[in-house]
Amino acid sequence: MPRQAQNSRISLTLINLLLLLCIEVKAQAGHLADDEVSALREIADQLGKRNWNFKVDPCTSNNQSWPTTQVNSNQPFNYNNTLICDCNLTNDGVCHVVQIFLKAQGLAGILPPALAKLHHLKIINLNDNYLSGNIPEEWASMQLEHLSISTNNLSGPIPPYLGKITTLKILSIEGNQFSGTVPPALGNLFYLESLILSANNLTGELPATLINLTKLIEFRISSNNFTGRIPDFFQTWKQLQKLEIQASGLEGPIPPSISALSTLTELRISDLFGEGSKFPSLHGMTNMSRLDLSFNKLEGNVPDLGGLARLDYTFLTSNLLTGNIPEWIKNSTSNIDISYNNFSKSSAPASLCRDGLNLFKSSSSKDDLELLECLDESPCSQDLSSLHINCGGKETTVGRIKYEGDEDPAGPTKYFHVKPNWGFSNTGHFWDIDNTPNDYLANNVSVLTMENFQLYTRARLSPLSITYYARCLVNGNYTVKLHFAEILFKSTISSYSLGRRIFDVYIQEKLALKDFNIENEAQGFDKAIIKNFTAVVTNKVLMIRFHWAGKGTTTTPNRGIYGPLVSAISVESDRSPPVDGKIVVGVIVSVLLLIFMILGILWWKGCIGGRISREKGHGFTTKREFDELVDPELGSEFIKKRHYND
Ligand SMILES: *[C@@H]1O[C@H](CO)[C@@H](O)[C@H](O)[C@H]1NC(C)=O
Ligand SMILES: *[C@@H]1O[C@H](CO)[C@@H](O)[C@H](O)[C@H]1NC(C)=O
Ligand SMILES: *[C@@H]1O[C@H](CO)[C@@H](O)[C@H](O)[C@H]1NC(C)=O
Ligand SMILES: *[C@@H]1O[C@H](CO)[C@@H](O)[C@H](O)[C@H]1NC(C)=O
Ligand SMILES: *[C@@H]1O[C@H](CO)[C@@H](O)[C@H](O)[C@H]1NC(C)=O
Ligand SMILES: *[C@@H]1O[C@H](CO)[C@@H](O)[C@H](O)[C@H]1NC(C)=O
Ligand SMILES: *[C@@H]1O[C@H](CO)[C@@H](O)[C@H](O)[C@H]1NC(C)=O
Ligand SMILES: *[C@@H]1O[C@H](CO)[C@@H](O)[C@H](O)[C@H]1NC(C)=O
Ligand SMILES: *[C@@H]1O[C@H](CO)[C@@H](O)[C@H](O)[C@H]1NC(C)=O
Ligand SMILES: *[C@@H]1O[C@H](CO)[C@@H](O)[C@H](O)[C@H]1NC(C)=O
Ligand SMILES: *[C@@H]1O[C@H](CO)[C@@H](O)[C@H](O)[C@H]1NC(C)=O
Ligand SMILES: *[C@@H]1O[C@H](CO)[C@@H](O)[C@H](O)[C@H]1NC(C)=O
């Protein structure tokens, strides 16, 4: 045999051997059932998913997750592209798809009816995409345990046939635009542990059948348009750990049976409509760690919750609570907010201003300017007629106006004065994420090109409520300008564009903006909108409060993104020129010096006599300008500052 032929025979054998080996590997690892492969093709079409690689078997990779090419390396943080097979379900070397995670991939198709052809699928998670339409009826035949389709563009009613998927343990449709009532058939989901309906447009009363969901661990229905009272399901929900009913549309009172929920770890009920309630009895909830009962018209005394040793955040903000501030609150080392209540002033602790306990306006007695005690206690040295703050950002100058910096990281129950003449009271905790000090500041996610973009690149965020206050203002009428730009969402076809930020603004305790949505007002993301108001200052104090009333999305583009966002605040007395005093003074000083010099020369030359006095007062419109001109120390402060700024 010629040498060459021999060589090729050897290679052929080698190839055969390799082929054999390959087949063996494949047989060991199994392969995906043919009908499921074609189902996956249909699913990809329906979802709009283009990067599944059908040239390789979805189940053969070692870790049994289908390798797909990454679209780009800069994936969103919740990106997940995983398909999990089980090759041991049947003993025939055939694999089946059991779990699919396709999160944050910008999928813009529909919920795929063909999913029902994957007969062994247990888990489907399509969160954070841009899928439209409704839940297909085909899915009713599936034996799903885990169905998550949060943060998409889904709409229409919740279909009653969901109640047929009785294997469900987790059902999450949060952050879509589902409307209509919750179908009573959901009460058939006997194994359900987690029911999450928040941030939709659901209406009507909750169906009584939900009382049968006795295995529930988590129930969330915030930011909807339900009607009626909070239903009394709690007798049977004996395993509930997380209960969240914020801005749900439901009315109070909180049913007393809530005290039966001894396993609760997180309780959030806020912004209830209707009548007030007594403080519910929570004594038995020894595992409670986070409690938010803010904005509920709760009346009467606060019971002793000192026994709840794991409680680390408590928000009782904005109720009608009365009586003495309890000892357990004063002694607590956890974060507690009782701001905006009606406690007796005499029960206030000696130190009003410690971190971790927010007492801001916790008593509504007439002389309730407790805030002054947390400030520089000295009386106002001079009254100002304007204030400009670059909220969340550093000091910056726009035109001739200097916006003061506001970069304190704030915190969950923080009462803070930035400068002797202004500060803020912040409250709230970003739920469901590990909070970091940076959560209270927003940084732009896109390049900003609007006019005066430096006011908008960083902004102040609050998970519940933040009140900016200014003191030592000249009494009178003011123009208040609030600058906003939505810098955390962006208009790509992705879950980034599905965020709905909604909050309220109060100026001097009067509602100025209700259900304010920056994106709607500015007609897009990364666009500035300036809202102008008038405010009357009568006791030298001005307060501007931004309040999240539980509405909008909280998981878009990532969990924990919600709450008021403000970029800058500008406050100007109607009686002052609309520019910063100090710089005007600088100009005036120079001009006046020049005039004096000229006049001096002219006088020296004997040209004029008594005109100076008439020129002098010209241009002094505020007391401060005058003071600065006549007070050499203020003048030198001015010069130092200018130098420093340069
Ligand atoms: C699973 O396989 C894919 C593709 O081979 C790989 O990218 C991924 O890192 C693997 N995951 C684990 C947990 O091994
Ligand atoms: C995707 O989600 C699954 C289930 O939560 C998880 O096991 C897996 O680690 C995630 N993969 C990535 C890449 O995050
Ligand atoms: C599948 O079954 C085979 C043998 O039947 C076993 O060796 C293997 O560990 C099983 N794999 C899993 C993931 O259970
Ligand atoms: C979002 O859903 C609505 C209502 O179904 C639809 O009109 C709209 O086209 C969808 N948006 C996208 C980008 O698919
Ligand atoms: C919710 O429903 C109301 C009235 O039915 C409608 O005006 C509003 O646009 C809907 N909102 C969303 C987010 O679908
Ligand atoms: C709860 O389930 C039981 C048994 O399935 C049923 O008889 C009852 O009507 C259900 N309760 C409600 C309120 O639907
Ligand atoms: C709730 O319904 C009212 C009227 O029924 C409507 O004005 C409001 O926009 C709805 N809210 C939401 C969040 O859809
Ligand atoms: C509290 O949590 C622990 C686990 O951290 C659990 O063992 C215990 O049963 C819980 N107690 C209640 C009343 O739920
Ligand atoms: C609170 O602290 C004070 C002084 O440290 C102590 O006398 C009081 O017993 C404490 N009260 C409670 C309820 O712990
Ligand atoms: C606060 O309590 C006092 C009596 O303690 C009462 O006169 C006043 O009306 C209450 N204020 C509010 C807003 O409920
Ligand atoms: C404030 O404005 C109101 C009208 O808007 C006017 O009646 C009032 O006199 C003004 N007060 C001052 C101090 O200028
Ligand atoms: C508010 O003030 C800004 C800046 O001075 C101005 O551009 C805008 O037109 C004003 N808006 C209204 C509604 O008056």
Side-chain angles (χ1 to χ4, degrees), residues 624-641:
R624 174 147 178 92
E625 284 163 14
F626 184 75
D627 288 348
E628 283 180 2
L629 191 67
V630 296
D631 182 339
E633 249 186 56
L634 278 172
S636 63
E637 177 202 85
F638 159 66
I639 290 162
K640 266 188 285 181
K641 275 209 174 134

Side-chain angles (χ1 to χ4, degrees), residues 108 130 132-133 153 155 493:
Y130 209 103
S132 305
N153 184 36
S155 55
I493 300 263

Side-chain angles (χ1 to χ4, degrees), residues 147-455:
L147 169 54
S148 287
I149 46 178
S150 295
T151 313
N152 276 287
N153 184 36
L154 303 169
S155 55
I158 302 177
Y161 45 75
L162 263 187
K164 294 186 181 163
I165 316 179
T166 50
T167 42
L168 274 180
K169 291 182 179 164
I170 295 177
L171 174 59
S172 174
I173 64 167
E174 175 172 13
N176 283 286
Q177 293 176 57
F178 285 105
S179 53
T181 57
V182 174
L186 293 196
N188 299 336
L189 301 176
F190 180 71
Y191 294 103
L192 208 58
E193 294 173 1
S194 185
L195 180 57
I196 305 181
L197 308 176
S198 303
N200 278 290
N201 211 355
L202 300 169
T203 53
E205 302 200 356
L206 289 169
T209 54
L210 297 186
I211 201 166
N212 271 349
L213 302 180
T214 55
K215 297 189 192 303
L216 272 187
I217 292 173
E218 185 178 16
F219 181 71
R220 304 183 189 232
I221 58 166
S222 299
S223 192
N224 274 297
N225 232 343
F226 292 117
T227 49
R229 293 186 164 191
I230 297 183
D232 199 349
F233 297 140
F234 305 132
Q235 300 289 357
T236 57
W237 291 0
K238 288 248 156 48
Q239 298 174 41
L240 200 67
Q241 293 178 11
K242 296 183 180 179
L243 177 62
E244 188 200 304
I245 307 180
Q246 294 189 281
S248 60
L250 293 178
E251 292 169 21
I254 297 171
S257 65
I258 199 167
S259 60
L261 299 176
S262 59
T263 47
L264 276 186
T265 59
E266 289 183 11
L267 174 60
R268 274 189 276 175
I269 300 181
S270 73
D271 306 276
L272 287 176
F273 288 138
E275 57 188 271
S277 348
K278 291 265 174 261
F279 201 99
S281 166
L282 311 175
H283 296 93
M285 306 177 183
T286 49
N287 278 352
M288 180 78 76
S289 75
R290 285 160 190 192
L291 174 67
D292 184 343
L293 296 175
S294 57
F295 299 90
N296 281 332
K297 308 188 196 87
L298 291 180
E299 306 153 343
N301 297 334
V302 177
D304 185 358
L305 299 181
L308 308 188
R310 298 189 188 183
L311 201 53
D312 58 3
Y313 292 97
T314 308
F315 301 101
L316 307 178
T317 319
S318 256
N319 282 293
L320 301 169
L321 297 168
T322 51
N324 289 339
I325 299 172
E327 287 294 305
W328 73 267
I329 288 184
K330 289 192 262 186
N331 284 6
S332 173
T333 53
S334 68
N335 293 292
I336 301 182
D337 191 314
I338 58 169
S339 59
Y340 293 98
N341 271 293
N342 200 5
F343 289 105
S344 121
K345 192 182 176 194
S346 58
S347 65
S351 165
L352 288 174
C353 314
R354 70 173 167 87
D355 266 5
L357 177 59
N358 192 340
L359 296 164
F360 187 65
K361 285 192 157 283
S362 58
S363 125
S364 74
S365 59
K366 276 228 177 65
D367 57 335
D368 75 330
L369 287 179
E370 286 109 342
L371 66 96
L372 293 183
E373 296 171 44
C374 294
L375 291 167
D376 189 349
E377 285 195 46
S378 62
C380 303
S381 59
Q382 61 209 135
D383 291 344
L384 303 177
S385 55
S386 69
L387 174 65
H388 302 93
I389 305 170
N390 183 18
C391 304
K394 60 179 197 289
E395 182 182 300
T396 186
T397 302
V398 169
R400 289 183 296 171
I401 300 176
K402 193 180 81 192
Y403 285 77
E404 298 192 38
D406 172 31
E407 298 184 281
D408 186 82
T413 48
K414 182 120 176 190
Y415 187 72
F416 186 73
H417 63 281
V418 178
K419 292 279 173 66
N421 65 315
W422 70 275
F424 60 75
S425 161
N426 182 60
T427 184
H429 171 84
F430 290 97
W431 295 78
D432 303 313
I433 56 165
D434 293 330
N435 282 230
T436 69
N438 292 328
D439 295 336
Y440 300 84
L441 299 168
N443 289 301
N444 57 321
V445 295
S446 310
V447 176
L448 301 181
T449 56
M450 77 275 272
E451 202 187 343
N452 304 327
F453 63 88
Q454 68 270 38
L455 292 180

Side-chain angles (χ1 to χ4, degrees), residues 438-540:
N438 292 328
D439 295 336
Y440 300 84
L441 299 168
N443 289 301
N444 57 321
V445 295
S446 310
V447 176
L448 301 181
T449 56
M450 77 275 272
E451 202 187 343
N452 304 327
F453 63 88
Q454 68 270 38
L455 292 180
Y456 302 95
T457 50
R458 299 187 81 201
R460 174 65 69 186
L461 283 173
S462 176
L464 183 56
S465 177
I466 183 163
T467 303
Y468 279 92
Y469 58 86
R471 67 187 276 261
C472 299
L473 290 176
V474 175
N475 285 341
N477 290 346
Y478 280 75
T479 300
V480 174
K481 292 187 179 173
L482 304 179
H483 299 243
F484 303 99
E486 181 51 73
I487 56 168
L488 291 183
F489 304 148
K490 54 186 174 185
S491 53
T492 52
I493 300 263
S494 72
S495 56
Y496 271 93
S497 62
L498 293 170
R500 298 192 291 271
R501 183 190 303 285
I502 299 170
F503 58 93
D504 300 338
V505 179
Y506 295 79
I507 297 178
Q508 298 294 54
E509 299 297 305
K510 280 215 292 279
L511 187 61
L513 294 170
K514 171 91 184 140
D515 293 340
F516 184 66
N517 180 324
I518 300 171
E519 176 207 353
N520 289 354
E521 289 277 328
Q523 299 185 342
F525 304 126
D526 302 325
K527 297 207 165 102
I529 173 84
I530 302 169
K531 301 295 284 184
N532 308 340
F533 305 91
T534 54
V536 184
V537 171
T538 53
N539 59 356
K540 300 191 178 185

